[in-house]
Structure formats: C-alpha cells, structure tokens
Amino acid sequence: MQYTLTSAERAKAPTGWRLEGSADGTTWKTLDRRSGQTFAWDRQTRAFDVGSPGRYARYRLVFDGEVRLSEVELLS
C-alpha cells in the first residue's frame, strides 16, 4: 500500500504526521509515522510506502501542526 501527499504551498507543507487505520472508527492503529519531512516546492507530490497496511474500513491522517495540502491519495 502507498499514499501520496501533494503540498498546497511549501510554507504550509506538513513536516510530520501519522497515517492511522480503524475497523470501527473508534479504535485507531498507527500504520505509518513520519517526521522531519520536507516539500521542496509548491504543489509537490510525494509518495510514501506503508510497510504493514492491513485492511481497515477507515483511514485518517493526523498532522503535527497546521498544514495545507492540495491532494491526498490512498493507493492499494
């Protein structure tokens, strides 16, 4: 499994986040955690691999601080 994030503007691009999955929307499991990330330009798309994705009904991204994104894709 892979996901992509596309920054809106470089100044508000995310530097850290968690991708979480849940079967019921109540209990969440961390699937991927990133910190110290950079986006070199506005509207840059970066891909990230999930090592052990599992199967979940719901997914969410939890960011460290305020961010602006143009697009998020979850790819199987």
Side-chain angles (χ1 to χ4, degrees):
M1 178 178 153
Q2 201 175 49
Y3 64 100
T4 67
L5 301 180
T6 303
S7 63
E9 54 188 83
R10 184 176 169 221
K12 292 283 187 171
T15 58
W17 62 86
R18 291 184 323 270
L19 174 66
E20 299 177 336
S22 175
D24 59 10
T26 302
T27 304
W28 294 89
K29 178 182 178 185
T30 299
L31 306 176
D32 189 45
R33 181 184 307 266
R34 303 285 170 152
S35 64
Q37 300 297 307
T38 59
F39 288 76
W41 57 83
D42 293 349
R43 290 174 292 289
Q44 179 185 7
T45 299
R46 294 192 53 207
F48 303 93
D49 292 316
V50 178
S52 301
R55 290 182 167 257
Y56 298 94
R58 296 176 175 96
Y59 295 88
R60 71 180 180 188
L61 280 165
V62 180
F63 294 98
D64 300 342
E66 183 181 336
V67 301
R68 287 198 184 145
L69 293 173
S70 292
E71 184 174 70
V72 175
E73 293 180 294
L74 187 61
L75 310 166
S76 58

